[in-house]
Amino acid sequence: MTAIPTLSSFRRIVVKVGSSLLVDGEKGALKQAWLDTLGEDIARHAARGADILVVSSGAIALGRTILKLPKGPLGLEQSQAAASVGQIALARAWSEVLGRHGIVAGQILVTLNDTEERRRYLNARNTVETLFAVRAVPVVNENDTVATDEIRYGDNDRLAARVATMVGADCLVLLSDIDGLYTAPPQKDPAATLIPVVPRITAEIEAMAGGAASETSRGGMTTKVEAGKIATTGGTAMVIASGKHEAPLARIEGGGPCTWFLAPASPVTSRKKWIAGSLEPRGVLWLDAGAVDALRKGRSLLPAGVKKVDGVFERGDAVIVRGPDGAEVGRGLVAFDAVAAVQIMGRNSQAVEAVLGYKGRTEMIHRDDLALAAE
Ligand code: GLU
């Protein structure tokens, strides 16, 4: 049986807290008593020397109460206004709850480009490192006041995974309103069982996530498994647990229900973490079994091993690489655009030159540009 990790063995932990945990669905008020118990959990890990970063949702949920907006879905302008008002309340809540334990909180609001552009990504990473160096706890949220539908993370699950790999966290805790990943949607299927550990995200695991939406947060199980791919390929283990109970981190440590997603044992370089976490892969390359083996042995991806190309991408864009069973093998920066990739797939390197009419790079994805998923 695969060993289940212990939370207290990690040195840098990102804790993502969903809106439904922080804000009461009926009254729209902050759940202060619950937050206090999470604050104690965080303080305990900080006291043993771990670096902690919080990704907190709840700005829009709090802001809509303060502004007395009607129930139901909000338009873009209304959510931006709600986020603007609610983020102040949210930041104050975190500052107070951590402050009670002598911990200083720092607020970081990010927009999609802050993590998707390499230069800004490195800049954001430096800010977090500086906060860690002074033992502060960064509290991160999307800057929903300026995010528009086209340029936004949308859900804090993937945002948290991106931030976790960016800061080189070894563990990401996703606290939501569901215990973890079930074999089938538990509300519909009484025979569904909780999966305690996912050594690697197979096509089957992805399919299980399909139907199991959680109750209130923006991201359902699909975005949580997507977060799992980003995190684990970038070298960060992830655990999904319910935060509906007090002291949710202590509950995980005490053997409470949760699902662990394991990261590959080998270290992942900083550049590969960035590639692995790319939030908007533009296409998919489908490989034959031989090519999958070659990649796992550390080789580059050659055009000959590609069976099918999906998507519209430019040279240098991030793409997902999948094996014959549909499972994600990794993510990489592709050396050809989609039109050329289709022309040269399945061909050997000499034929590639003939098709393209010039001597291009022979690899479809160079091994330095490829981040492999856990095997
Ligand atoms: N950023 C949003 C907020 O603070 C939440 C996004 C989510 O629920 O995933 O309200």
Side-chain angles (χ1 to χ4, degrees):
M1 215 190 104
T2 324
I4 293 179
T6 41
L7 208 50
S8 52
S9 66
F10 294 103
R11 51 165 194 91
R12 186 168 279 189
I13 303 176
V14 171
V15 182
K16 183 261 172 176
V17 188
S19 298
S20 63
L21 301 176
L22 271 168
V23 185
D24 185 290
E26 282 302 306
K27 297 193 212 96
L30 187 75
K31 294 191 198 165
Q32 188 67 52
W34 177 83
L35 182 59
D36 289 344
T37 70
L38 177 59
E40 279 161 28
D41 270 348
I42 290 174
R44 206 176 49 252
H45 284 280
R48 71 167 172 83
D51 296 328
I52 311 286
L53 181 149
V54 173
V55 174
S56 178
S57 307
I60 297 174
L62 284 176
R64 69 184 297 158
T65 314
I66 301 168
L67 291 175
K68 300 191 176 57
L69 297 176
K71 286 215 180 306
L74 296 178
L76 178 65
E77 286 84 4
Q78 281 179 317
S79 18
Q80 288 171 328
S84 161
V85 171
Q87 185 62 37
I88 295 182
L90 189 63
R92 185 175 59 216
W94 279 108
S95 170
E96 281 173 7
V97 80
L98 295 171
R100 233 169 281 150
H101 300 276
I103 299 172
V104 175
Q107 175 181 259
I108 304 182
L109 298 178
V110 290
T111 48
L112 192 61
N113 284 342
D114 293 326
T115 59
E116 300 319 284
E117 270 176 36
R118 179 89 175 140
R119 195 174 47 82
R120 292 168 73 165
Y121 172 94
L122 295 174
N123 197 19
R125 194 178 71 179
N126 283 345
T127 309
V128 173
E129 282 300 339
T130 310
L131 287 167
F132 282 151
V134 295
R135 304 301 301 142
V137 168
V139 179
V140 178
N141 196 3
E142 176 158 16
N143 190 351
D144 292 304
T145 56
V146 294
T148 62
D149 289 336
E150 301 79 53
I151 43 155
R152 73 183 327 165
Y153 302 92
D155 66 89
N156 274 4
D157 295 326
R158 291 177 315 133
L159 166 65
R162 187 59 158 146
V163 168
T165 60
M166 178 177 89
V167 303
D170 46 7
C171 182
L172 165 64
V173 183
L174 289 188
L175 295 176
S176 76
D177 51 10
I178 186 154
D179 281 333
L181 180 66
Y182 283 84
T183 50
Q187 0 16 348
K188 291 196 201 128
D189 183 352
T193 53
L194 184 75
I195 303 170
V197 53
V198 175
R200 96 185 163 92
I201 300 171
T202 58
E204 201 189 352
I205 294 289
E206 284 192 58
M208 280 174 195
S214 78
E215 288 164 23
T216 47
S217 58
R218 279 216 198 127
M221 198 43 84
T222 311
T223 64
K224 290 189 173 48
V225 170
E226 185 61 24
K229 285 195 258 172
I230 294 168
T232 57
T233 307
T236 305
M238 184 178 98
V239 58
I240 303 177
S242 171
K244 280 181 164 175
H245 308 262
E246 301 210 322
L249 301 187
R251 192 162 180 260
I252 298 172
E253 290 157 62
C258 61
T259 301
W260 281 96
F261 293 77
L262 306 183
S266 50
V268 181
T269 63
S270 153
R271 179 174 154 73
K272 290 201 179 186
K273 281 182 187 168
W274 184 67
I275 295 170
S278 132
L279 288 173
E280 292 177 319
R282 301 284 173 186
V284 180
L285 305 183
W286 299 83
L287 311 194
D288 63 24
V292 174
D293 278 349
L295 298 193
R296 295 220 163 109
K297 287 192 186 113
R299 308 225 176 92
S300 295
L301 174 63
L302 299 177
V306 179
K307 307 283 286 179
K308 190 157 89 87
V309 174
D310 286 331
V312 179
F313 48 84
E314 295 298 320
R315 180 166 188 254
D317 278 348
V319 294
I320 296 178
V321 176
R322 291 187 185 274
D325 60 354
E328 186 167 323
V329 179
R331 293 173 184 217
L333 304 181
V334 63
F336 296 92
D337 65 27
V339 174
V342 169
Q343 287 173 331
I344 62 175
M345 67 180 186
R347 297 177 190 262
N348 68 30
S349 299
Q350 281 92 12
V352 167
E353 206 180 310
V355 170
L356 293 175
Y358 60 86
K359 197 166 161 44
R361 253 184 113 144
T362 46
E363 303 94 12
M364 188 75 101
I365 301 177
H366 190 272
R367 62 197 181 127
D368 291 345
D369 293 339
L370 186 74
L372 289 180
E375 265 182 75

